[in-house]
Amino acid sequence: MPVVGELVLETAEDTRDWGVRLGRLLRAGDLVLLTGELGAGKTTLTQGIGEGLGVRGPITSPTFVIARVHPSLVGGPELVHVDAYRLGGAEELDDLDLDTAIDAAVTVVEWGEGLAEDLSPDLLSITLSGLSRRSLRLAARGPRWSSSQAREQLAELVSLT
């Protein structure tokens, strides 16, 4: 998957703020996979995405419930927040029926690498590393992200620090 860019986020607040900017670009049907070790900021980033989308919170890690739906407060798409950490494989992800709602929502899947890539032909993959000072790598694939306008928006997003 082509890498759009990389940046360093100095604090958790920077991670959240970057998520807000990303959330403002997202629309119904977008799939975002978040990868990174425990404490790397996946849920913090999702909180920012939710704020950028204008959805009802609070957004917390759905580790034990697997998935949470956050309705829009502004008439936009809802946020489906999935934590695939406890899932045993793609079959268990299929049991969540995410593909039935994917066109109507923005879907963010933590720990989804190797499980959720086939939910949509369009995909943003974000890898976070580090615990306080975080490195972020953004990759994109699919028709949604291949237009010159979308590429420019994503490139601008990773050039912001």
Side-chain angles (χ1 to χ4, degrees), residues 30-143:
D30 286 341
L31 173 63
V32 180
L33 295 188
L34 302 180
T35 303
E37 65 257 25
L38 286 170
K42 296 178 294 297
T43 299
T44 301
L45 182 61
T46 304
Q47 290 168 343
I49 291 170
E51 183 179 331
L53 287 170
V55 300
R56 184 172 56 206
I59 294 174
T60 59
S61 179
T63 299
F64 295 103
V65 296
I66 310 298
R68 285 196 171 96
V69 177
H70 298 274
S72 177
L73 298 173
V74 296
E78 62 190 9
L79 171 65
V80 177
H81 183 200
V82 179
D83 187 327
Y85 184 75
R86 296 191 180 280
L87 296 180
E91 307 80 36
E92 289 183 26
L93 185 67
D94 284 343
D95 289 344
L96 297 176
D97 285 331
L98 294 176
D99 52 349
T100 61
I102 201 143
D103 291 336
V106 170
T107 304
V108 175
V109 183
E110 296 185 30
W111 303 97
E113 188 175 46
L115 294 174
E117 290 91 343
D118 293 335
L119 289 174
S120 174
D122 298 309
L123 172 66
L124 288 180
S125 175
I126 299 172
T127 303
L128 294 160
S129 57
L131 298 180
S132 56
R133 186 174 189 257
R134 297 175 175 126
S135 296
L136 181 145
R137 182 175 49 96
L138 175 66
R141 73 153 199 235

